[in-house]
Amino acid sequence: MAKLTFVGGIHPYDGKDLSKDKPIKTVLPKGELVYPLSQHIGALAKPIVNKGDHVLTGQKIAEAGAFVSAPIYATVSGTVKAIEPRRVVTGDNVMSIIIENDEKYEEVEYEPVKPLDEMTKEEIIERIKEAGIVGMGGAGFPTFIKLSPKEPDKIDFVIANCAECEPYLTSDYRRMLEEPEKLVEGLKVSLKLFDNAKGILAVEDNKPDCIEILKNLVKDEPRISVKTLRTKYPQGAERQLIFATTGRKINSSMLPADVGCVVNNVDTIVAIYHAVIEGKPLMHRIVTVTGDAIAEPQNFIVRIGTNYHELVEEAGGFQKEPVKIVSGGPMMGFAIFDLDVPTTKTASALLCLTQDAVSEMEEGPCINCGRCVEVCPGRVVPRLLADYAQNYNEEAFLSHDGMECCECGCCSFICPAKRPLTQMIKSMRKMQLAKKKSAK
């Protein structure tokens, strides 16, 4: 049977061997925990606690600040130490709630939940909304909005993004291997919202053990199937995943719902399970701590708000001094200069490397080889777009479909001249998106 895929893409060193065989390990935070009020796309959450308040694990500490926003919950018991700006992985200072951990981990009593068969669609959506679930693959878009399209009867596919194509990351892999039932049950919850939809578990073929486990779990589920994808980056990107699994195409002006699809990441779907079936808010996520600078690469189940320093210590510290530290993976992540920052709902990995290949590159002139065009999954001409961006030629950038770039980094990776194509295009895209937003 042919492997499902898309046109373009690359095959970078995946680095997954460092941590893929490391079972999920629970980490209990020791010091204070920091909860930035911006862990999602949209408005800041609004604090509903004050300095000096005692809080319990699972207690809401900030409510959604607008329709596009999400509440935040304490992940430990303790005392609210302050509400003040703290630095996050992007380098920005964001207003945050700081809780001094009392290390007792006393927990609230959660409200009892109805069996899924007795819940209405509105009740399911409300539980997901109230649980503070956002896209945990990195986007951070509030999940209840994604699961509330204008025409739910036109949704044909609910796709679980199990590809995990980003190099080095193995958190989704371990989740599928160790807790596949929660993934399948979470997908069933999502399907209950869409009467005409079928569920797809889309897994790259470098995870044959996960494919086998998931196929066995859904063999008697007529609405759910497992689809095997060719291992290739960026197979897990939303547009590429939809095309590979359904043959349907979307562009930058469309949403997946416009072609009858809803896509969610593995951890997001498991969070849906916890919220709807167990009645628990989003408090944990899995973080891969890896790279050749880490003594013992691991996959940790982390309480949101835990400091990255503590995760590095739990992974044995540095066996070599890192030259570069990346939040996320090497393709779509971003470099950070300080480990004294908290994990958030969208934190998937901490990558610590002893070599900074990017900074060592010497940029040369374009030789018109066309490799960037061959690998581009957006089917644009990165060389031209980068030139237009560099020269602030907005009209040419837009007329040559510059907004169709998904910023995956394939062009920069493959360029023999080592031109930072993605970075140049990304800067122009940000300018255009900001202009569009301000014009509303």
Side-chain angles (χ1 to χ4, degrees), residues 146 184 230 352 430:
K146 187 183 283 191
V184 172
R230 183 180 300 166
C352 304
K430 279 189 174 180

Side-chain angles (χ1 to χ4, degrees), residues 37 214 224 254 304 341 424 432 439:
L37 298 177
L214 292 172
I224 301 177
M254 300 168 68
I304 291 165
V341 290
M424 289 188 277
Q432 297 308 311

Side-chain angles (χ1 to χ4, degrees), residues 283-295:
M283 296 184 291
H284 303 81
R285 69 154 302 128
I286 302 177
V287 178
T288 301
V289 179
T290 187
D292 60 349
I294 293 290

Side-chain angles (χ1 to χ4, degrees), residues 38 63 192 227 343 364 381:
S38 177
E63 62 186 8
K192 197 170 188 305
K227 293 199 174 184
T343 53
V381 184

Side-chain angles (χ1 to χ4, degrees), residues 110-111 113 127-128 131 133 136 175 179 182-183 185-187 189 266-286 301:
Y110 301 106
E111 292 183 13
V113 294
R127 281 209 169 272
I128 292 169
I133 301 172
M136 296 168 72
R175 179 77 87 176
E179 300 181 325
K182 292 182 180 180
L183 173 60
E185 291 301 316
L187 185 55
V189 172
V266 167
D267 243 7
T268 308
I269 294 173
V270 172
I272 290 171
Y273 164 82
H274 287 304
V276 179
I277 304 301
E278 297 182 347
K280 294 182 179 180
L282 175 55
M283 296 184 291
H284 303 81
R285 69 154 302 128
I286 302 177
I301 186 78

Side-chain angles (χ1 to χ4, degrees), residues 196-253:
N196 304 318
K198 292 190 174 181
I200 296 174
L201 293 154
V203 193
E204 282 192 326
D205 63 355
N206 64 349
K207 306 173 186 68
D209 42 3
C210 293
I211 292 170
E212 183 180 357
I213 289 169
L214 292 172
K215 281 185 173 180
N216 286 332
L217 278 177
V218 303
K219 62 184 178 183
D220 298 321
E221 299 288 345
R223 292 183 67 191
I224 301 177
S225 63
V226 178
K227 293 199 174 184
T228 303
L229 309 173
R230 183 180 300 166
T231 299
K232 181 168 61 170
Y233 177 85
Q235 189 69 263
E238 200 166 59
R239 295 185 213 174
Q240 284 65 50
L241 188 71
I242 289 172
F243 179 77
T245 53
T246 70
R248 300 180 182 187
K249 298 179 181 179
I250 61 172
N251 58 40
S252 62
S253 64

